[in-house]
Amino acid sequence: MKQLIELLQQHRGLSAALYQGDMQVGSELKRISSKCQLICNRLASDLSENERWQSFLDHWGRLSRVKSDTVDNSFQQHTLMIDNLILLLEDIAEASFLTAKYLPDYQHISLVWRELIKITESVGQTRALGTASAAAGSCNSVQRTRLKFLMQHIKQMDHSLTSQLELANDQFKGLLSKSSADANSLLDLIEKQIINANQVNISREEYFSFATQVISAFNQVCFLPIK
């Protein structure tokens, strides 16, 4: 489920570039769609009766068939779909007893499948919005407003994570410290080169790659046990 969410976040970011006129991302979008389908096939039997899953399949089926769209609508539809999967992931984690109540030696276990997932999603949204701005060479008022909101949200969540993990193991804290520093670098880039820039000069490829590195840093934290 986590891998599927990551792929859909990439699909959202590259779709933003596509609908901004960057046709070079077409083959990569097809590759991501194929990987998504493989994961959906693997999950099908376990989730066939789940309403959230059925809703996702319907939404993804319609979204993947769209041949022409706007940057804004594509962003919103992807985000709604990913939000639904994040809730499904939380449902699965709780049903699998991945909570401090059942794992007393891992008191912060829920941070792995809730807060860390949410902060990567916020970074993922900035990746999509910034990618659209970079592809267009400018940041419109809607994108600017959304980016400012997301930047504040990332700062708040990053501070919350840091304050809750004072007793975590050194390896976890080390990875979280790195991901936090990477996130701050991304926020600084967004503010200087996108939001406050008269013209966005960073390339779509460079921005997408930088934001992806930040997401990858947080994802490394997700796969460590917290004790």
Side-chain angles (χ1 to χ4, degrees):
M1 184 62 66
K2 180 68 172 65
Q3 291 174 343
L4 181 59
I5 290 171
E6 289 176 35
L7 287 169
L8 292 170
Q9 289 169 332
Q10 291 178 37
H11 194 278
R12 174 179 53 195
L14 293 175
S15 293
L18 178 70
Y19 295 128
Q20 201 63 67
D22 188 345
M23 307 307 292
Q24 295 182 356
V25 301
S27 59
E28 181 65 9
L29 281 169
K30 290 180 180 178
R31 187 187 69 82
I32 291 173
S33 294
S34 295
K35 292 181 71 173
C36 286
Q37 190 57 53
L38 288 174
I39 294 178
C40 288
N41 293 342
R42 293 206 303 268
L43 292 172
S45 60
D46 291 329
L47 297 172
S48 60
E49 303 299 322
N50 188 285
E51 290 185 8
R52 286 195 189 279
W53 179 247
Q54 293 303 320
S55 175
F56 159 72
L57 290 179
D58 177 67
H59 202 163
W60 171 239
R62 287 184 282 112
L63 188 64
S64 60
R65 287 193 299 269
V66 173
K67 301 302 180 184
S68 61
D69 204 346
T70 65
V71 174
D72 186 58
N73 187 60
S74 175
F75 175 84
Q76 291 188 55
Q77 294 305 312
H78 275 88
T79 300
L80 286 171
M81 187 172 59
I82 292 168
D83 285 346
N84 180 49
L85 280 188
I86 290 174
L87 291 173
L88 176 54
L89 185 148
E90 293 183 7
D91 291 343
I92 293 171
E94 290 180 346
S96 302
F97 307 108
L98 295 178
T99 65
K101 177 181 178 180
Y102 296 100
L103 297 170
D105 290 336
Y106 299 86
Q107 287 296 306
H108 302 292
I109 187 65
S110 64
L111 296 179
V112 173
W113 50 260
R114 183 180 289 128
E115 282 80 0
L116 278 167
I117 301 297
K118 289 181 178 179
I119 196 169
T120 58
E121 168 55 7
S122 290
V123 176
Q125 290 185 36
T126 67
R127 178 174 60 182
L129 293 167
T131 295
S133 297
S138 62
C139 183
N140 64 40
S141 59
V142 173
Q143 292 165 343
R144 188 174 292 108
T145 298
R146 285 177 173 167
L147 282 169
K148 287 180 179 179
F149 171 80
L150 287 165
M151 289 172 65
Q152 187 62 33
H153 185 247
I154 291 169
K155 289 177 182 178
Q156 291 173 347
M157 290 202 68
D158 184 52
H159 176 74
S160 176
L161 280 169
T162 302
S163 64
Q164 293 183 65
L165 294 172
E166 291 181 355
L167 301 179
N169 65 56
D170 290 340
Q171 186 182 13
F172 193 100
K173 287 192 288 188
L175 286 175
L176 187 62
S177 177
K178 180 184 183 307
S179 61
S180 178
D182 289 348
N184 285 327
S185 295
L186 177 64
L187 297 182
D188 185 61
L189 182 154
I190 291 171
E191 183 173 8
K192 292 179 179 178
Q193 297 195 43
I194 297 181
I195 290 179
N196 295 330
N198 293 326
Q199 181 176 347
V200 179
N201 292 317
I202 187 171
S203 70
R204 185 273 300 172
E205 295 88 349
E206 183 181 355
Y207 178 81
F208 188 90
S209 177
F210 191 7
T212 298
Q213 289 177 25
V214 178
I215 293 173
S216 296
F218 278 113
N219 283 337
Q220 286 188 51
V221 185
C222 286
F223 293 111
L224 272 182
I226 312 173
K227 193 168 184 177

